[in-house]
Structures are given as structure tokens and as C-alpha cells.
Amino acid sequence: MTPALETQMLVKRFGGLIVTNEVSLSVRPGARHALIGPNGAGKTTLINLLTGALTPSGGRILLSGEDITDTTPFARVRKGIARTFQINQLFNDLTPLESVMLAVGERMGHGSRLFRPLFADRTVSEEAAALLERFRLADVMCLPTRDLPYGKQRLLEIALAIALQPKVLLLDEPAAGVPEEDRHEVLAIVRALPSDVTVLLIEHDMDLVFSFADRISVLAAGRLFAEGTVEEISGDPQVKAIYLGDAA
Amino acid sequence: MSAPHSQIAAAFLRRKAAWTPLEAGLWCLALAAAFLFPSQQLLLSEIAILALFALSLDLIVGYAGILSLGHAAFFGVGAYTAGLFSLHVSAEPLTGLAVSAVVAGLLGLATSFLVLRGSDLTRLMTTFGVSMLLAEGANQAAWLTGGADGLSGILLEPIAGTFEFDLWGRTGYLYCLAVLFILLLVARRIVHSPFGLSLKAIKRNSRRAAMLGIAPNRRIVIIYTISALYAGMAGALLTQTTSFVSPDVLAFHRSADVLLVLVLGGVGYLYGGIVGAVIFTLLRAWLSVVTPQYWMFWIGLILVALVVIGRDRLHPARAIALVRSRLPGRAGEKAVPLSEDSR
Ligand SMILES: Nc1ncnc2c1ncn2[C@@H]1O[C@H](COP(=O)(O)OP(=O)(O)OP(=O)(O)O)[C@@H](O)[C@H]1O
Ligand SMILES: [Mg+2]
């Protein structure tokens, strides 16, 4: 079966520093694939390469077998890649409603409508409201995003990506920084993601990784170090040594 | 019990795009001025034209985040086009206005590619450069533009063959006001559209905007072209109400003044240009009587004070919104920022 997402010998250098080192990763359609690794391993950089935020120094990226190495970030989104950010990238003075409507509207190609008022776009506003309700954001959807509690902002991060109805979803530490009492909300949303969406999850929380993932790749110092099922990775002594040892 | 969320959403969006009493009052006042101050119609026209020019700048500065120090390029081209058109083709003002808009818009489209990339500084320099090129070009092409003497002897027919320009300038003012009003309605529609929202997104956070699949370049080209079109019409109105075009319409100080006007009035809520134009023109008229030599000094002082103290705290519209949001039982309206750039 053609992988939903594949990298071939992907390399990224920052000057002399090799941050992504000949990474060949393959993610099966519909997978729950986790990418773990210590701080500075190059996980976020890999996502930046996959989404086109960074240009690779070498190698190829394939989406359902199609080479997308040289396409623009927004073209990749239209082809079905969406991501969330490790550090919130939200529109602080727009409301969650407007932000999600923006995502839904762009997906439907309404973004170049100049003279139609936003409120007249009922298909978009209804879909946005339904999505916000699913993400438990309905009660705050008309407030400026900057006034939302941090946990809610993290939910909005994911909602914006889901609103694009992606084929492949890249989640960069979705629960990072969320206070303990709000974590379950974020985790529940991640667990309840539509099963036809291929998910690549970066996460330090091993409980989440082991309960969520059906496959795990381990990145260390820019290299793919190990890959396998939950049992294989959690039982691998070397993985334990470089990663689980100090995390657990 | 409580309305479904989709209804709450629709109501919120509708309210956000709705007219405010303040807005309606402003237009009534502007219309009343045509009859209340019969001897000040020329000054009023000047304000309306400057307001339109600043509105056009607000579309790119306030909504797309593109700073320009050469917006007079479009104003000047509109002014010259209106003059030449009425001298050589037709003296009907509305046709002249439309032709000026198209010519300025085409120039905007052609130069929009220069502002797609780069930092604020490079944009300031390229826009500045384009306007300098045009100013020098107009100066050299004396056979067409009259060089340093400009174009004079522009006689206009009644507007749409009906409304005669009068000696006191009331028709002129009402004409300018009508154009400003219609163009503000159009701008209002644009900023409350999905397109307008996408511009805000590009300005606020271009990284996330790209990750929502928004290709920024086309959007910027479109709004830059519209902005140029608006500026061109402002220039045309100046020509038509003064029956004269001088090389001054392309001068650097015009680009600087209009930026100043916009900062005075506030960026990113559409009315900044109008508020700023009223303050700027009245202040200049008053200061040049009180202290003819030093009026620029006072304008400069006010500008510095605005930036240092922060316009938010001085801005009347913003202050009203703030007070309103603090009133009990209106929490929902807290989400209506009058000045979008208040960060
Ligand atoms: N733009 C850049 N220029 C230079 N070095 C960079 C740049 N971006 C990332 N790096 C370096 O690349 C390495 C990998 O960074 P990256 O953010 O991908 O790690 P990560 O695995 O996501 O870590 P974390 O778990 O802390 O999020 C780090 O050493 C970082 O300093
Ligand atoms: Mg990271």
C-alpha cells in the first residue's frame, strides 16, 4: 500500500549543524504514528520540512506517492497536510469563531469572496460552530482568542487543523504546557480524531503515546534511531537508555 | 433555553458587521455640514478628499499590514488623469472619476508585485521610489502634464449632466462626500468579507495563515489594487473640485501627510482616515492662523505624544468601546475591537 506520507533520505542543515539526518520515514494511511525523541532531536524541524515551512537540504517528501518536496506550504495544505504548533500560533485578536471560519472558508475556497459578508456564509459559520462545540470551545467562541485559558487555546490549535479536513495531521506536542486538570480534555480530543485521518503525533507524554499509537518512531540527534510497535519500542533497551530512561 | 450555537455565531457575526449609532451620527453630521457652514465648503471638500486618500491607505496598512511611503503616486496619477481627461476627452466628472480610478488601479496592479516580499523597510523604500519616479516623470513630461506649471483651465460640466458646480463649492463638497460614502460602504463590505478576514489573518500571523492554506500573494495584489483605485479617485476629486492640477499632487509630503493622518485617526477600523482628516485639516487651519510659522511644530508634537502615550488611550472611539465593554451585562460585546491593531 502506498504510504500516506513518506520521506526519503531527508536532510536539513543549519550551517554546519545537521538537524535532520537522512530520515526515511513511512506513515501508513490511517495510522496513529508517534514520533518521540529527546529535546532537540529534530522533531519540530521534521514537521517544518513536511509542511514546507523549511526547505530541505536534501531528500524527498511524498504525499500518497506524490512528490511534494518543492511545493509551497499552502499548496501542501490544499493537498491534505495540516499541522498544529508546539508553541501556539493563533490569531490573538480574532475570535475562535472567526479563526475556525477562516479555516473552513479557505478549505471551501471562499477566501477570495470580496463582497459577501461573513455572516451570510451560513454553511461556513454552521460548520465552524459545530466543530467548536465538539472541541468544547462553543462557550468562548465569541471572545478574543487571547482571553482564552491556555488549555482552550491548545484545543483551538487542533480545531484549526481539523477544520481543514486533512488527510494527514501532524500534531506537535498538543498537550504541551496544559495544566494537569485540563489535560484530559486535550487528550480526549486527540483520541477521538476521525479514524480515516492519518496522524503523526509528537509527544513527550509516554502514557498518551503508548495508549494512542500503533507505531512509534524514535528520533535522536536528527537520525531515525528505531521504529516499531508499542511493545517493540517500550521493550527496546537502547530506546530506554536514550529516551525512556530519563523520561520515565 | 439557550439558542443553538450556530445561531449565537450568526448573531455575533451580524452584530460585528452592524452599523453603530456613532457611525450613523458621523455621516449625518457630515451631510449637515454642507448646510451649516456655507462659507467653509472648500475646506470641507478638502477634508473629504484627504479622508478618502487616508481610507485608501488604511486598506493596505491597517488590513494587509503593508506600509507605504509613496501612496501619493496613485493620488497624483488619479489627479493628472482626471485633468487630462476633462481637457482632452470629456468634461463630465463621473466619467473622469471612473477613468482616473481605472488608471490608478492599473498602476497599483502593476506595482503591487514590488510589495509582495520584503520587510517593512524595503516596502517603504520601494513605494517611496515608485512615487519619486512618477513625480520626476510628470515634471519632465511637460508636453503632457504642463511641467512645473501643472494643468489649468479645467472646466467641468454638471455632474451626470444635472448638478452644476456652484461658486461656494457646495456641489463639490456633496459630490466628494457622496463618493467617500459609497467607497466607505464598499470598503466596509470588503473588510467584513471572508477575503477581509483572510487579510487580517495574513497580517496577524502569516505562518499560521499559510498553514490554513492561504496563498497570500493574490490577496495582497487585490487589496493593493483596490487601494490604488481609491487613492486615484481621491486625486481625481481634488482636480475636479479645484479645476487645477499642480505637480504637488505627486509630492513626497502628500505621502507623508496621509500616513500622519491615518496614524492620527487610528489604523485598521476604516474610520481612522476620516477622523484623522478632520483633526489634521482643522488643526492645520487653526494653527496656521494662531502660529503661522510653527504649525508643523505643533503637528509634530501631537504625533510624538500620540505614539508615546499610545493612541488607544486618547482615541475617542476606542475609549467609548472600552467604557461600553465595562458596563455590566454586555460582556458579549467585549469582543468588538474598534481598533484592530491595539496590541
Ligand atoms: N532555525 C534554526 N536555526 C538553527 N538551528 C535550529 C533552527 N531550528 C532548530 N534548530 C536546532 O535544531 C535542533 C532541533 O530542533 P527541534 O526544534 O526540531 O527539536 P525538537 O525535537 O522539536 O525538540 P523539543 O522536544 O524541545 O521540541 C535544535 O538543536 C535546535 O537548536
Ligand atoms: Mg519541538
Side-chain angles (χ1 to χ4, degrees):
Chain A
M1 189 161 34
T2 320
L5 185 66
E6 189 181 1
T7 67
Q8 296 174 351
M9 300 297 277
L10 202 61
V11 176
K12 180 65 188 177
R13 284 186 218 98
F14 289 115
L17 185 70
I18 302 179
V19 177
T20 305
N21 198 349
E22 302 185 345
V23 169
S24 297
L25 179 74
S26 175
V27 184
R28 160 188 78 70
R32 294 286 177 270
H33 200 126
L35 182 66
I36 63 173
N39 291 112
K43 305 182 295 294
T44 299
T45 303
L46 185 61
I47 290 209
N48 285 335
L49 292 169
L50 293 173
T51 55
L54 289 174
T55 315
S57 316
R60 298 207 304 157
I61 303 166
L62 304 156
L63 182 71
S64 303
E66 183 193 354
D67 191 330
I68 56 162
T69 319
D70 297 321
T71 55
T72 57
F74 35 88
R76 293 184 202 193
V77 173
R78 293 205 200 107
K79 288 179 194 291
I81 296 186
R83 74 171 290 185
T84 67
F85 290 85
Q86 184 175 353
I87 297 164
N88 282 347
Q89 294 287 332
L90 300 169
F91 306 108
N92 281 326
D93 52 4
L94 299 184
T95 61
L97 176 65
E98 289 165 313
S99 306
V100 173
M101 281 184 72
L102 188 67
V104 174
E106 286 299 330
R107 192 192 80 224
M108 294 181 171
H110 293 188
S112 34
R113 290 188 173 173
L114 258 74
F115 299 110
R116 194 186 167 91
L118 209 53
F119 64 74
D121 222 344
R122 291 303 288 256
T123 43
V124 172
S125 66
E126 275 165 24
E127 185 181 322
L131 186 74
L132 286 160
E133 197 173 351
R134 218 173 88 209
F135 276 71
R136 299 165 195 272
L137 288 166
D139 51 332
V140 293
M141 69 182 177
C142 300
L143 294 176
T145 299
R146 75 157 68 78
D147 293 347
L148 265 54
Y150 185 75
K152 297 274 181 197
Q153 295 193 4
R154 288 311 277 171
L155 288 174
L156 182 56
E157 265 289 332
I158 306 172
L160 286 183
I162 288 295
L164 299 167
Q165 294 185 354
K167 293 199 198 80
V168 176
L169 176 61
L170 313 172
L171 296 170
D172 196 351
E173 301 193 27
V178 179
E180 199 51 48
E181 65 270 24
D182 298 335
R183 271 183 96 76
H184 67 275
E185 237 178 12
V186 178
L187 302 189
I189 287 290
V190 170
R191 289 203 178 92
L193 288 171
S195 59
D196 57 333
V197 179
T198 307
V199 181
L200 182 66
L201 170 77
I202 295 178
E203 187 51 68
H204 284 301
D205 183 331
M206 284 306 131
D207 290 339
L208 176 58
V209 168
F210 289 152
S211 65
F212 173 81
D214 48 35
R215 200 150 186 89
I216 301 177
S217 294
V218 186
L219 201 65
R223 266 187 187 285
L224 261 193
F225 176 82
E227 192 187 316
T229 62
V230 173
E231 292 75 37
E232 285 162 7
I233 295 299
S234 59
D236 187 323
Q238 269 186 304
V239 171
K240 271 206 177 105
I242 69 141
Y243 189 76
L244 300 181
D246 43 352
Chain B
M1 209 182 69
S2 67
H5 295 302
S6 65
Q7 271 177 35
I8 297 175
F12 169 76
L13 294 168
R14 205 173 271 281
R15 199 167 60 230
K16 200 163 178 179
W19 277 76
T20 64
L22 199 70
E23 228 178 330
L26 179 93
W27 288 107
C28 291
L29 212 66
L31 186 62
F35 306 96
L36 292 176
F37 310 107
S39 64
Q40 300 295 338
Q41 301 294 305
L42 295 179
L43 188 72
L44 288 168
S45 304
E46 202 183 309
I47 293 177
I49 291 167
L50 186 57
L52 177 58
F53 189 23
L55 168 63
S56 90
L57 186 64
D58 198 14
L59 287 178
I60 59 166
V61 174
Y63 290 91
I66 295 172
L67 280 177
S68 170
L69 207 50
H71 218 48
F74 309 118
F75 184 90
V77 164
Y80 272 110
T81 305
L84 290 169
F85 188 81
S86 66
L87 284 175
H88 302 301
V89 186
S90 155
E92 201 289 303
L94 289 180
T95 330
L97 183 70
V99 171
S100 303
V102 169
V103 172
L106 286 175
L107 180 69
L109 182 66
T111 55
S112 63
F113 301 95
L114 297 170
V115 301
L116 288 180
R117 257 165 261 282
S119 62
D120 284 346
L121 184 65
T122 56
R123 282 167 171 167
L124 283 178
M125 288 304 112
T126 46
T127 49
F128 177 57
V130 168
S131 75
M132 287 299 105
L133 278 173
L134 284 169
E136 194 46 38
N139 198 27
Q140 295 297 324
W143 57 273
L144 182 69
T145 62
D149 299 331
L151 298 172
S152 52
I154 298 167
L155 290 173
L156 288 163
E157 289 169 9
I159 300 164
T162 315
F163 305 101
E164 195 102 39
F165 283 97
D166 57 316
L167 235 55
W168 303 272
R170 176 178 292 165
T171 309
Y173 171 57
L174 287 172
Y175 172 45
C176 293
L177 191 63
V179 173
L180 175 63
F181 181 66
I182 291 167
L183 291 182
L184 190 117
L185 287 184
V186 174
R188 223 174 167 289
R189 204 126 179 143
I190 293 173
V191 304
H192 288 119
S193 71
F195 171 80
L197 186 62
S198 76
L199 283 182
K200 289 181 200 168
I202 294 166
K203 183 188 169 196
R204 299 306 190 291
N205 191 338
S206 57
R207 294 180 64 187
R208 172 60 95 168
M211 286 303 128
L212 297 182
I214 302 172
N217 288 1
R218 231 187 68 191
R219 311 276 161 95
I220 291 175
V221 167
I222 290 172
I223 197 67
Y224 200 75
T225 304
I226 293 173
S227 168
L229 219 121
Y230 272 42
M233 286 200 254
L237 289 178
L238 183 72
T239 300
Q240 295 180 341
T241 53
T242 58
S243 306
F244 177 69
V245 188
S246 79
D248 187 59
V249 292
L250 282 165
F252 170 67
H253 76 84
R254 249 180 224 283
S255 299
D257 281 355
V258 74
L259 198 55
L260 180 70
V261 163
L262 188 58
V263 171
L264 277 176
V267 178
Y269 73 104
L270 285 188
Y271 281 88
I274 298 177
V275 173
V278 172
I279 298 175
F280 182 81
T281 312
L282 293 184
L283 213 56
R284 188 175 58 186
W286 178 62
L287 286 173
S288 60
V289 171
V290 188
T291 63
Q293 273 103 41
Y294 303 118
W295 76 272
M296 280 302 278
F297 170 85
W298 292 107
I299 294 265
L301 192 69
I302 291 167
L303 183 68
V304 172
L306 271 177
V307 175
V308 172
I309 301 171
R311 200 197 52 249
D312 272 4
R313 264 163 284 171
L314 292 176
H315 201 283
R318 181 72 189 171
I320 290 169
L322 259 171
V323 172
R324 263 208 192 141
S325 70
R326 301 261 158 96
L327 292 180
R330 306 190 68 162
E333 271 166 88
K334 215 170 82 186
V336 187
L338 264 167
S339 162
E340 294 274 8
D341 71 326
S342 54
R343 281 164 302 169

